[in-house]
Structures are given as C-alpha cells and as structure tokens.
C-alpha cells in the first residue's frame, strides 16, 4: 500500500523515526543499519517501506535500501519470524552478513542476535537457503567451502564477523583451510 516515503525527518527515537510528508507525520520503524545512515533531523529523507496491518495495529517499516526491504520481506515469510524479529536481525547484521551466514550455514552467527534462538536460527538457515544468499551481496570468493571453513574457524577463535571477513578478503582465493587460517591469524595479529 505505502511503498516509499519522502519528506523531512521530524524525529529520531531508535528504532522509530517520524517522517513529515507535507504536514502528515508517519511513524516508521527502521533497522539500526538504516537508522545510523539517516540524515540529521530537519533534513530531507527517503525510505522504502513495508506496511503491516494486524488486528491491533498498523505499522510502517522503513528501509534505506531495496536489499534491506527484500531481506525483511523474505524473513517475515518464515514461520515464527515476525516483523520485530526480522527488524532485530537486520539491526544485528547487514544484509551481506546475513546472506553470507545463510549461504555458509553458520548457525552461530545467527544465534548471537538477540531474540534468535537455536530453533529459529535453524529454521532461517533451512528456509532461506537459495532465497537469500550469494545473489545478495556475498563476495564470490567467500562461497567456496575452504573460505567458509576459514571464516568459521576465525569466528570460533573469538574474532568478530567484520575482522574475520577482512582477514578472509586478504587471503589468496585458492588457499587451503590450514594455510588460510595461519595466514589470517598472522594478518589479524598485526
């Protein structure tokens, strides 16, 4: 029904913003990734939206990119994942990180997100495989089994997703798992 809002950013109260569109203020819930990229209050803003009508509420969700909105729409189709949980997932990790976790079947990365338990994470991995993956922002070289194993090993050693991904990018694409882990640890130790 409402696909996009363009207007003046009137209020910012995480995770909700108010967008003034010619005198009408729309309350919009946004993931934190979108919230951090918003302009200052009083500036012009444009958000892609998804409108949810429930028995007790009508809620507008806003996104800075079409990829975020697409991922949100895929997430809410899954049994047990409502709009709030989907918003939490997109606040906890970027679409590219979520896609990578789905493609490489990394349960551990999903359960780190508040509100996502083991069963929900397993359902996400099962139902989103092939729907949300390499086509949505995953670097092509990370799709190999060796690269995925290296990434999982670095995360298991306590490195953050971002640190592990940066170390992975610096590796040769044909590195074996053991050599890749050694090289990644050397680069992370600097």
């Amino acid at each position: 029904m409402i696909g996009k809002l363009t207007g003046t950013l009137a209020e910012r109260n995480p995770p909700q913003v108010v967008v003034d569109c010619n005198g009408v203020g729309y309350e919009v819930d946004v993931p934190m990734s979108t919230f951090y990229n918003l302009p200052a209050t009083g500036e012009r803003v444009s958000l892609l939206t998804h409108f949810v009508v429930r028995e007790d509420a009508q809620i507008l969700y806003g996104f800075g990119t079409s990829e975020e909105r697409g991922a949100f729409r895929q997430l809410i189709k899954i049994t047990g994942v409502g709009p709030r949980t989907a918003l939490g997932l997109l606040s906890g990790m970027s679409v590219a990180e979520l896609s990578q976790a789905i493609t490489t079947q990394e349960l551990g990365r999903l359960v780190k997100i508040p509100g996502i338990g083991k069963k929900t994470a397993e359902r996400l991995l099962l139902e989103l495989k092939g729907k949300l993956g390499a086509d949505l922002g995953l670097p092509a070289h990370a799709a190999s089994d060796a690269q995925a194993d290296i990434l999982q090993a670095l995360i298991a050693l306590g490195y953050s997703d971002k640190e592990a991904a940066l170390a992975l990018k610096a590796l040769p694409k044909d590195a074996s798992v053991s050599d890749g882990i050694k090289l990644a640890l050397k680069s992370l130790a600097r």
Side-chain angles (χ1 to χ4, degrees):
M1 181 175 169
I2 300 172
K4 182 178 178 181
L5 287 178
T6 300
T8 305
L9 186 60
E11 292 179 33
R12 297 168 58 120
N13 297 315
Q16 194 173 73
V17 298
V18 175
V19 179
D20 183 335
C21 298
N22 296 322
V24 178
Y26 290 93
E27 291 180 347
V28 185
D29 289 358
V30 297
M32 295 312 290
S33 53
T34 296
F35 188 85
Y36 293 133
N37 290 318
L38 290 173
T41 303
E43 303 239 346
R44 193 151 181 78
V45 68
S46 186
L47 294 172
L48 298 171
T49 60
H50 181 84
F51 188 54
V52 175
V53 177
R54 295 190 330 222
E55 187 176 303
D56 60 339
Q58 295 181 20
I59 305 168
L60 199 55
Y61 295 93
F63 306 94
T65 66
S66 59
E67 289 81 17
E68 275 185 326
R69 183 172 66 174
F72 177 83
R73 287 178 171 170
Q74 286 292 331
L75 288 167
I76 62 174
K77 289 179 184 176
I78 297 170
T79 306
V81 177
R84 288 277 172 218
T85 304
L87 210 60
L89 262 166
L90 292 174
S91 291
M93 58 183 9
S94 71
V95 176
E97 290 168 338
L98 177 61
S99 299
Q100 187 170 0
I102 300 297
T103 301
T104 57
Q105 296 290 292
E106 295 178 67
L107 184 73
R109 287 177 79 182
L110 295 176
V111 296
K112 288 180 183 177
I113 306 294
I116 304 296
K118 186 178 179 189
K119 288 187 179 188
T120 303
E122 288 171 346
R123 189 176 299 122
L124 287 168
L125 292 177
L126 178 67
E127 293 193 32
L128 289 177
K129 188 169 186 161
K131 295 178 184 172
L132 189 71
D135 57 329
L136 286 178
L138 179 66
H141 67 274
S144 75
D145 289 338
Q147 296 282 325
D149 290 343
I150 295 167
L151 186 67
Q152 285 179 329
L154 294 173
I155 291 170
L157 289 170
Y159 291 100
S160 72
D161 294 341
K162 289 181 182 178
E163 290 171 326
L166 284 173
L168 196 64
K169 286 180 183 176
L171 298 178
K173 293 180 183 177
D174 59 346
S176 69
V177 175
S178 60
D179 291 341
I181 293 171
K182 289 176 191 172
L183 290 169
L185 288 173
K186 284 181 184 175
S187 71
L188 287 167
R190 291 183 196 149

